Amino acid sequence: MNEEMETGMTRTVYLNGDYLPEEEAKVSIFDRAFLMADGVYEVTSVLGGKLIDFDGHAARLERSLKELDMEMPMPVDALLEIHRELVRLNALDEGMIYLQVTRGAPGDRDFVFPDPETTPQTVVLFTQSKPGLADNPAAKRGIRVISIPDIRWGRRDIKTVQLLYPSMGKMAAKKAGCDDAWLVEDGLVTEGTSNNAYIVKGGRIITRNLSSDILHGITRAAVLRFAREAQMEIEERPFTIEEAQGADEAFITSASTFVMPVVEVDGAKLGDGTPGPVATRLREIYLEEVKKAAV
Ligand code: PDD
């Protein structure tokens, strides 16, 4: 068993209080997340066996749950302990921890929320090993994005597991020979399928302001803080695809990509088509700073 874990053959996951081999972790067919996407999630990256921005992810989890009338399944320090234990049990050096909390399995299908007193939440955590996450070669090439209409629901600030449309967006990008899609609503970019979107013009960083139109990225908050500390200028406002195509550079941020340069938008190369200096510098600063603060 131990040997298997070390070679990555059997992963240990967390389910409702137990640490189990992944094949033994089973959830009911009546789980509200399975039937109704009634659940929220977080993705926390792990570098050098340590958690990046754990407090930010825990705070956003609490907020997502609250917006959906759900309680935190346990105190934040207990959640941290589970994250750390999974890192330890799976000897995770570089990768992510996925966490999901659902409204549980009431034993039937009903639109009405079950009584939390009788239907306990489902709590799942698992690791995803991604060696080379920080040293991702894509960061040296930059990624290419297409635009698609943003037809998601209106509460994108809640990190729910309804990811069908973002998933379709990634497939549309792949089909177009690109890496990802930026979502556009009323002519303005909201965010990427699973990341926040930025452009850089004349040294100014432009990214959409926070509202229920986008997810409040934990990486976004950190990157903007580091950019301010480095005296970079920031404008929090929406931008169009045309403005992005005329920008000097662009990038995305998320817990799994950190700061990732974007070199092409809907077929238009930005600058010389290679990662720009602002994105490259921000990636360096971000990785350096968050590693120092990792827990
Ligand atoms: N996605 N916007 C959307 C729609 C996202 O799904 C994400 C994260 C972000 C960036 O948030 P953060 O910086 O907190 O990761 C923005 C995660 C990584 C995912 O779904 O895998």
Side-chain angles (χ1 to χ4, degrees):
M1 180 70 119
N2 271 336
E3 239 173 57
E4 277 182 349
M5 275 185 214
E6 270 159 31
T7 54
M9 283 170 69
T10 292
R11 173 167 40 176
T12 302
V13 304
Y14 175 93
L15 172 62
N16 298 332
D18 296 319
Y19 293 93
L20 302 167
E22 61 181 63
E23 60 277 4
E24 284 174 30
K26 304 261 168 62
V27 175
S28 165
I29 61 159
F30 297 112
D31 197 279
R32 298 266 311 176
F34 181 63
L35 295 178
M36 293 177 171
D38 190 358
V40 300
Y41 75 106
E42 280 297 331
V43 175
T44 303
S45 54
V46 173
L47 292 176
K50 289 191 166 180
L51 300 158
I52 304 301
D53 234 329
F54 174 80
D55 288 343
H57 290 282
R60 187 174 60 193
L61 172 69
E62 187 159 14
R63 181 180 180 279
S64 292
L65 288 166
K66 191 157 174 270
E67 292 299 308
L68 298 176
D69 279 327
M70 281 193 263
E71 299 277 334
M72 273 291 261
M74 63 189 85
V76 171
D77 55 351
L79 268 185
L80 175 58
E81 241 3 88
I82 298 171
H83 279 73
R84 283 183 163 154
E85 184 63 2
L86 284 179
V87 166
R88 195 185 68 76
L89 290 170
N90 295 288
L92 181 65
D93 178 48
E94 219 163 301
M96 283 100 73
I97 297 192
Y98 177 86
L99 166 157
Q100 180 170 327
V101 180
T102 88
R103 208 182 301 274
D108 227 335
R109 180 175 178 271
D110 190 345
F111 283 84
V112 174
F113 291 174
D115 181 352
E117 292 297 320
T118 49
T119 301
Q121 295 172 330
T122 302
V123 182
V124 170
L125 286 93
F126 58 81
T127 53
Q128 274 190 272
S129 178
K130 297 264 179 208
L133 190 64
D135 207 16
N136 190 342
K140 290 178 187 86
R141 283 193 308 270
I143 63 162
R144 297 156 66 222
V145 302
I146 59 165
S147 68
I148 58 170
D150 194 340
I151 57 167
R152 297 173 300 163
W153 78 326
R155 288 305 305 276
R156 302 156 192 160
D157 55 316
I158 308 173
K159 199 164 171 62
T160 75
V161 297
Q162 4 166 7
L163 296 176
L164 179 56
Y165 190 66
S167 189
M168 290 169 72
K170 294 255 195 216
M171 292 311 293
K174 224 175 131 132
K175 212 168 166 185
C178 290
D179 304 289
D180 208 345
W182 279 7
L183 308 172
V184 178
E185 184 174 55
D186 300 329
L188 300 164
V189 174
T190 51
E191 59 188 330
T193 57
S194 62
N195 43 68
N196 291 113
Y198 308 71
I199 58 172
V200 182
K201 184 77 181 174
R204 289 170 90 82
I205 299 164
I206 301 157
T207 193
R208 194 176 177 112
N209 48 295
L210 296 180
S211 71
S212 51
D213 296 338
I214 62 170
L215 187 75
H216 301 191
I218 302 306
T219 319
R220 178 189 185 279
V223 164
L224 292 186
R225 189 171 71 245
F226 299 142
R228 275 194 196 99
E229 284 168 12
Q231 316 299 328
M232 296 180 186
E233 277 187 78
I234 298 159
E235 252 182 81
E236 291 183 68
R237 62 159 176 88
F239 56 86
T240 64
I241 286 293
E242 293 66 38
E243 190 178 7
Q245 290 178 317
D248 302 325
E249 51 178 299
F251 60 94
I252 57 166
T253 65
S254 76
S256 50
T257 60
F258 310 123
V259 177
M260 179 62 66
V262 169
V263 294
E264 192 182 300
V265 178
D266 274 344
K269 275 196 171 56
L270 308 190
D272 65 1
T274 65
V278 173
T280 303
R281 176 96 188 92
L282 276 177
R283 183 179 177 88
E284 282 167 11
I285 299 176
Y286 177 80
L287 285 171
E288 198 181 301
E289 292 299 323
V290 294
K291 277 185 201 163
K292 275 194 243 164
V295 299

